[in-house]
Amino acid sequence: MTGKSAFITLEGIEGAGKSTCMALVARLLEQAGRPPLQTREPGGTPLGEALRELLLGHRHEGMADDTELLLMFAARAEHLQNRILPALEAGRWVLCDRFTDATYAYQGGGRGIDLGRIEVLEQWVQRGFRPHLTLLLDLPAEVGLERAGRRSAPDRFEKETLDFFRRVRETYLDLARKQPERFRVIDAALSLEEVGTQVSRVIRDFLEAWS
Ligand code: Z5A
């Protein structure tokens, strides 16, 4: 590994603690002299945020699965070209709340879209580009939903069934098993403090290996 910039993503089912961990990772990177660009998917650009509203809101409840998939990749193409790649090329680290693994997990595992079709779109939009490090915050679907349920009104995904989120979790874990060089699985069912300790260790190790 060289001293170049890195693209780090956070993944997990709903309520896994991504937002909570994002703040910690950003702080650790800042302390290491690499203040990251913080962004999210779907979203991260004006067009991406407009697509996010369409995807998460309730105006289009009957949205076809393929439409949802294509809109996720449309938002991603915009995000990559106009925000992520320019930042990386300028030497800035990028920290992103969800990326393409979420598409495999939600549209593939959750909705049942063939993973091969998602791979075609990934290749088409990303041309081989992938995160350098992905933290998968893993926990049972029941626990994630219970945590998320304490918050505001559910979006279009949050209204899905427990079985849906179980399939999402399993797909994430399969991805992590197949790409161990990129994924670090965090036991997110533990206390905030214990999760923080695991995340800090992963980031410290990555920083050491990367520079
Ligand atoms: N989506 C998709 O389908 N396909 C795609 O390609 C992409 C996305 C990119 C929006 O994502 C939706 O888009 C998402 C998948 C879909 N839908 N779902 N579900 P999002 O990331 O914006 O939304 P989210 O998954 O619902 O994230 P979230 O609600 O912000 O959850 P979180 O960030 O993982 O959790 P949190 O806010 O940090 O924590 C939740 C609560 O638990 C909070 O009160 C915390 O204080 C508490 N918490 C966190 N950690 C702990 C621990 N360790 N112990 C106790 N309590 C804790």
Side-chain angles (χ1 to χ4, degrees), residues 165-180:
F165 287 103
R166 285 185 175 142
R167 293 196 299 276
V168 171
R169 180 192 188 196
E170 282 315 311
T171 309
Y172 268 134
L173 287 170
D174 265 358
L175 291 167
R177 277 189 285 270
K178 287 181 184 144
Q179 298 174 61

Side-chain angles (χ1 to χ4, degrees), residues 7 9 11 41 69-82 84-85 88-89 96 98-105 107 115 117-134 175 179 182-183:
F7 179 43
T9 56
E11 298 281 359
E41 290 217 346
L69 173 66
L70 290 166
L71 288 177
M72 290 293 175
F73 271 105
R76 184 160 300 133
E78 183 73 10
H79 196 197
L80 262 179
Q81 291 308 313
N82 290 330
I84 297 174
L85 293 178
L88 290 171
E89 278 154 20
C96 192
R98 296 193 185 282
F99 195 62
T100 308
D101 298 308
T103 312
Y104 282 102
Q107 281 63 54
L115 299 186
R117 297 181 68 218
I118 301 178
E119 258 174 59
V120 171
L121 290 173
E122 180 186 27
Q123 185 50 35
W124 199 74
V125 168
Q126 297 170 218
R127 300 178 176 89
F129 175 81
R130 279 189 169 158
H132 300 106
L133 173 70
T134 298
L175 291 167
Q179 298 174 61
R182 172 164 72 87
F183 275 91

Side-chain angles (χ1 to χ4, degrees), residues 24-195:
L24 171 62
V25 174
R27 204 165 58 244
L28 293 168
L29 293 179
E30 242 168 75
Q31 285 165 4
R34 310 198 183 284
L37 168 71
Q38 295 183 58
T39 186
R40 67 173 180 181
E41 290 217 346
T45 63
L47 176 54
E49 291 295 327
L51 290 172
R52 180 186 177 93
E53 261 185 61
L54 293 178
L55 281 160
L56 268 57
H58 295 285
R59 266 178 65 205
H60 304 285
E61 287 293 349
M63 185 184 297
D65 292 350
D66 279 358
T67 309
E68 183 179 284
L69 173 66
L70 290 166
L71 288 177
M72 290 293 175
F73 271 105
R76 184 160 300 133
E78 183 73 10
H79 196 197
L80 262 179
Q81 291 308 313
N82 290 330
R83 199 133 188 247
I84 297 174
L85 293 178
L88 290 171
E89 278 154 20
R92 182 108 191 251
W93 285 42
V94 178
L95 178 57
C96 192
D97 188 341
R98 296 193 185 282
F99 195 62
T100 308
D101 298 308
T103 312
Y104 282 102
Y106 282 80
Q107 281 63 54
R111 302 274 191 238
I113 295 179
D114 182 77
L115 299 186
R117 297 181 68 218
I118 301 178
E119 258 174 59
V120 171
L121 290 173
E122 180 186 27
Q123 185 50 35
W124 199 74
V125 168
Q126 297 170 218
R127 300 178 176 89
F129 175 81
R130 279 189 169 158
H132 300 106
L133 173 70
T134 298
L135 277 73
L136 172 57
L137 298 166
D138 176 59
L139 81 178
E142 294 84 339
V143 181
L145 293 188
E146 211 273 315
R147 283 184 192 166
R150 294 180 215 140
R151 294 171 319 179
S152 54
D155 64 32
R156 209 169 56 81
F157 288 95
E158 289 165 350
K159 285 172 69 184
E160 285 298 337
T161 62
L162 184 58
D163 270 354
F164 177 92
F165 287 103
R166 285 185 175 142
R167 293 196 299 276
V168 171
R169 180 192 188 196
E170 282 315 311
T171 309
Y172 268 134
L173 287 170
D174 265 358
L175 291 167
R177 277 189 285 270
K178 287 181 184 144
Q179 298 174 61
E181 68 293 343
R182 172 164 72 87
F183 275 91
R184 296 292 175 272
V185 181
I186 306 288
D187 183 351
L190 299 176
S191 71
L192 271 175
E193 196 187 350
E194 289 166 301
V195 171

